[in-house]
Amino acid sequence: MLAGWRGVARTAVSGLAWASGCGAKRWVSTSWSPVGAAFNAQHQPQRHRWELGKKTGLFGVPELSCPEGFQEAQEKSLQETERLVKKACAAPPGPEIVMIFDQLSDSLCRVADLADFVKIAHPNLAFREAAEDACRNIGTMVEKLNTDVDLCQSLRKLLADKEVLASLDTDSRRVAELFMFDFEISGIHLDEEKRKKAVNLNVKILDLCSEFLMGSHLPNRIDKHVLPEHIRHNFTVEGNYVQISGLNADSPDDLVREVAYKVFLFPNAQQLHCLEELLTSRNLLAQLVGYDTFAHRALEGTMAKTPEKVMQFLVKLSDKLFQRTLDDFEMMNGMKMKLNPMKSELMPWDHPYYSGVLRAERYNIEPSLYCPFFSLGACMEGLNMLFNKLLGISLYVEQPEKGEVWCEDVRKLAVVHEQEGLLGYIYCDFFQRPDKPHQDCHFTIRGGRLKENGEYQLPVVVLMLSLPHSTRGSPTLLTPGMMENLFHEMGHAMHSMLGRTRYQHVTGTRCSTDFAEVPSILMEYFANDYRVVNQFARHYETGQVGLIGKQVLFVN
């Protein structure tokens, strides 16, 4: 298997030589690795490649070559669900029950998880609407199953049979307990009328969550004549209006950050009403199924367990960080006074930018000279190097088939272990585009599990960032904050690749929500450690290596 992946690497190298031969601009005097070259490539359509080969659907799912395919996919899922429910209810207590429940979970999640990503990220409105409809239908089915008495009874019999329970391995027993926990927090103990009410509340909450999240990504607009002419180019201008779709937190212009902060976060009455209705519905559901608050219900399956423990932790953390936070704000305030003495008061829209400036200063380098050492390609090379040394893992760029990705600038990575072989796939949706949410996040598209035929179902994930495209003059250059976010999200991706379990229900990041952040936060430490950064910081234009020490950055 590994020999095949070395072949992929050779293909990528020859592709780079081909691009160079066609007169594409080279940004460095020394060659990049295939991974670095793929992410530093100048953005341009590659229609000649897309015309080759047979067309497939999104993520290689044949049905999803068109929006109508979501209807077909969800119908197949629901038919499979009906078959598995009957099988579970008829099966005697034993390990097979756990396997059937996990197959049931996988059948629903393979549609719901994929649709959950497509509904917010696909550039085509018809795809987004079809995915939204699939999410709602599958979500409704999940809530109905979580209050299905006959289905619950089949699992309860298993957990009540001490002899059978003792024969289960630790993983099977734990997964069975988690499925029972889902029944319990959904109100399985209630009478039929209250169970129906719980289902309706859950569906309403799903709708309200979707509405609120979609609304939070929408840009706000303002009459362009209200803004000074010299900053309008920082935003999208449509006719007489300026569209502001994010916080522009990394802009060196204080006024740009201020305008973006005030306009993008301006209170929206419709959003506030949606949020109030969402909070009310959550509270009603929690109390209906037996919890004091929604927080008690949401935290029961986490490491923290209760809201009281969360508050104790936050108070203790706040006390310990109080002086350090004051020192940080004093340094940021001093930096702003140095750079903008006429308007030196530190404002809410200043914190991300000036913390990045301070980081660059800590390396004894001008902020404007920091980013050229951290092109997206250089950072991806750094991640590849880090994963190879720590985990024996390499990243290989694959050319997706026609129809497999939703935008031509999406990169597909195969994750390969030196002994285990192919572990899964990461789709990198890193660049800004119209109607794309300005958020950095990780999506599970398909969870890993051991299939009935003995093969392993490979995990598939998407990492979504909101980075600027490369230009004619340079590849995408990352600020300190952008690089930290990239490492954070890649930590989630590695969790998904390495969390290989027999059961889909607990694979990868399908774990306690607070623990799911541990690998990603660990990766942030690597992004901020000069010993790591020292190994991949490289000027995109000259190939010069930045040797970053604790207090100084030397340039060869």
Side-chain angles (χ1 to χ4, degrees):
M1 181 176 286
L2 287 177
W5 294 106
R6 292 192 187 97
V8 172
R10 285 196 296 271
T11 300
V13 172
S14 65
L16 179 60
W18 171 86
S20 176
C22 286
K25 184 176 179 65
R26 292 290 298 276
W27 288 306
V28 294
S29 56
T30 56
S31 62
W32 296 92
S33 72
V35 170
F39 285 89
N40 270 358
Q42 188 170 347
H43 174 59
Q44 56 184 348
Q46 297 183 343
R47 293 186 180 88
H48 58 285
R49 293 189 183 185
W50 287 73
E51 291 170 359
L52 300 175
K54 193 176 180 180
K55 185 175 181 181
T56 184
L58 293 172
F59 300 102
V61 179
E63 297 92 338
L64 300 184
S65 60
C66 61
E68 294 75 20
F70 271 104
Q71 182 65 35
E72 183 181 350
Q74 65 181 297
E75 285 176 359
K76 284 185 178 180
S77 175
L78 294 176
Q79 288 172 5
E80 177 70 359
T81 296
E82 184 179 357
R83 183 186 71 81
L84 289 168
V85 168
K86 290 178 180 178
K87 187 176 180 181
C89 292
E96 186 186 11
I97 291 287
V98 185
M99 292 174 58
I100 295 170
F101 267 77
D102 194 64
Q103 292 170 27
L104 185 57
S105 173
D106 182 62
S107 176
L108 293 166
C109 287
R110 270 185 288 136
V111 177
D113 289 342
L114 191 155
D116 197 44
F117 167 73
V118 173
K119 74 178 184 181
I120 70 166
H122 202 289
N124 185 297
L125 178 61
F127 265 102
R128 295 200 302 269
E129 290 178 341
E132 174 71 32
D133 185 60
C135 275
R136 191 176 195 280
N137 292 336
I138 297 294
T140 300
M141 175 55 71
V142 169
E143 299 307 331
K144 287 180 178 178
L145 292 177
N146 282 339
T147 56
D148 187 310
V149 175
D150 292 335
L151 187 62
C152 178
Q153 189 62 23
S154 68
L155 187 62
R156 186 171 281 140
K157 287 178 182 177
L158 169 66
L159 294 171
D161 191 321
K162 293 183 179 180
E163 185 177 342
V164 174
L165 192 62
S167 70
L168 297 181
D169 60 83
T170 304
D171 290 349
S172 298
R173 191 181 310 122
R174 178 58 179 156
V175 169
E177 291 169 349
L178 288 172
F179 278 120
M180 181 54 70
F181 175 72
D182 289 338
F183 281 118
E184 291 168 349
I185 66 170
S186 299
I188 195 66
H189 55 284
L190 302 175
D191 60 41
E192 184 176 0
E193 183 179 345
K194 288 182 178 178
R195 289 200 307 273
K196 288 181 179 179
K197 185 176 180 181
V199 169
N200 291 335
L201 277 170
N202 265 310
V203 172
K204 182 179 181 181
I205 288 168
L206 288 173
D207 289 343
L208 289 169
C209 281
S210 180
E211 180 184 342
F212 183 78
L213 288 173
M214 295 300 290
S216 67
H217 301 318
L218 294 176
N220 280 334
R221 67 177 192 168
I222 188 172
D223 191 313
K224 71 177 183 182
H225 300 99
V226 175
L227 302 184
E229 188 172 354
H230 72 279
I231 70 167
R232 293 176 195 168
H233 71 277
N234 291 280
F235 310 107
T236 302
V237 179
E238 294 184 355
N240 289 323
Y241 293 93
V242 168
Q243 297 270 15
I244 298 180
S245 55
L247 296 176
N248 290 59
D250 292 311
S251 173
D253 190 318
D254 288 0
L255 183 57
V256 170
R257 296 195 308 277
E258 179 180 358
V259 167
Y261 184 93
K262 289 182 175 179
V263 175
F264 184 65
L265 298 181
F266 191 80
N268 181 302
Q270 186 174 345
Q271 280 288 89
L272 288 173
H273 174 74
C274 179
L275 180 59
E276 288 170 359
E277 195 173 356
L278 173 59
L279 295 175
T280 299
S281 299
R282 282 179 164 183
N283 189 58
L284 287 172
L285 174 65
Q287 293 185 348
L288 176 64
V289 299
Y291 292 89
D292 291 339
T293 67
F294 185 79
H296 285 87
R297 179 180 184 267
L299 288 168
E300 187 170 336
T302 66
M303 294 190 298
K305 302 296 185 186
T306 68
E308 292 76 19
K309 286 186 178 178
V310 171
M311 288 307 300
Q312 289 173 11
F313 172 76
L314 291 177
V315 169
K316 185 178 289 187
L317 186 65
S318 179
D319 290 342
K320 288 184 176 294
L321 292 179
F322 183 73
Q323 187 57 50
R324 181 173 172 177
T325 303
L326 288 180
D327 294 342
D328 286 346
F329 272 77
E330 186 177 338
M331 286 191 292
M332 284 190 283
N333 200 66
M335 178 58 72
K336 185 171 184 181
M337 191 174 295
K338 174 183 174 181
L339 297 180
N340 191 357
M342 301 299 293
K343 198 174 182 182
S344 60
E345 182 183 359
L346 196 66
M347 303 303 290
W349 47 85
D350 290 332
H351 307 152
Y353 174 72
Y354 283 105
S355 63
V357 171
L358 284 168
R359 183 186 302 179
E361 186 185 61
R362 191 162 67 240
Y363 295 147
N364 205 25
I365 183 173
E366 286 294 321
S368 61
L369 301 179
Y370 182 98
C371 294
F373 284 88
F374 299 101
S375 66
L376 178 56
C379 293
M380 291 302 295
E381 283 188 350
L383 284 163
N384 198 17
M385 172 272 298
L386 188 62
F387 294 147
N388 190 264
K389 290 185 176 181
L390 291 178
L391 306 168
I393 282 175
S394 298
L395 305 175
Y396 294 95
V397 180
E398 276 200 5
Q399 181 67 33
E401 294 182 34
K402 183 178 181 182
E404 185 179 348
V405 296
W406 48 102
C407 190
E408 63 187 13
D409 59 20
V410 173
R411 308 285 191 262
K412 180 183 179 183
L413 295 178
V415 181
V416 183
H417 188 268
E418 59 190 7
Q419 294 178 339
E420 299 293 330
L422 180 62
L423 298 182
Y425 294 100
I426 303 172
Y427 290 83
C428 301
D429 187 358
F430 284 173
F431 302 105
Q432 298 170 352
R433 61 175 174 269
D435 296 326
K436 180 182 176 182
H438 282 253
Q439 67 181 86
D440 299 339
C441 50
H442 161 278
F443 291 87
T444 297
I445 302 301
R446 184 178 69 200
R449 72 181 182 102
L450 187 64
K451 296 194 289 187
E452 298 70 48
N453 61 5
E455 295 179 0
Y456 197 80
Q457 177 173 289
L458 297 177
V460 176
V461 303
V462 173
L463 295 189
M464 188 168 78
L465 305 178
S466 192
L467 302 176
H469 276 287
S470 59
T471 66
R472 289 179 63 85
S474 76
T476 297
L477 304 179
L478 304 193
T479 64
M482 289 175 182
M483 184 173 74
E484 187 175 277
N485 288 348
L486 171 63
F487 273 61
H488 178 102
E489 299 305 333
M490 195 60 83
H492 285 308
M494 283 300 110
H495 190 176
S496 292
M497 296 296 113
L498 294 170
R500 291 165 70 88
T501 56
R502 186 193 321 174
Y503 298 108
Q504 182 268 163
H505 196 62
V506 290
T507 190
T509 56
R510 300 195 202 281
C511 58
S512 298
T513 51
D514 39 7
F515 179 75
E517 293 300 318
V518 172
S520 53
I521 291 174
L522 176 62
M523 287 300 299
E524 293 181 22
Y525 283 88
F526 287 107
N528 288 293
D529 192 309
Y530 75 95
R531 295 168 298 181
V532 176
V533 174
N534 180 48
Q535 297 185 53
F536 67 85
R538 178 156 54 124
H539 198 287
Y540 77 90
E541 201 166 28
T542 64
Q544 293 174 319
V545 179
L547 302 177
I548 300 177
K550 289 183 179 179
Q551 295 294 332
V552 63
L553 182 145
F554 305 96
V555 179
N556 291 341

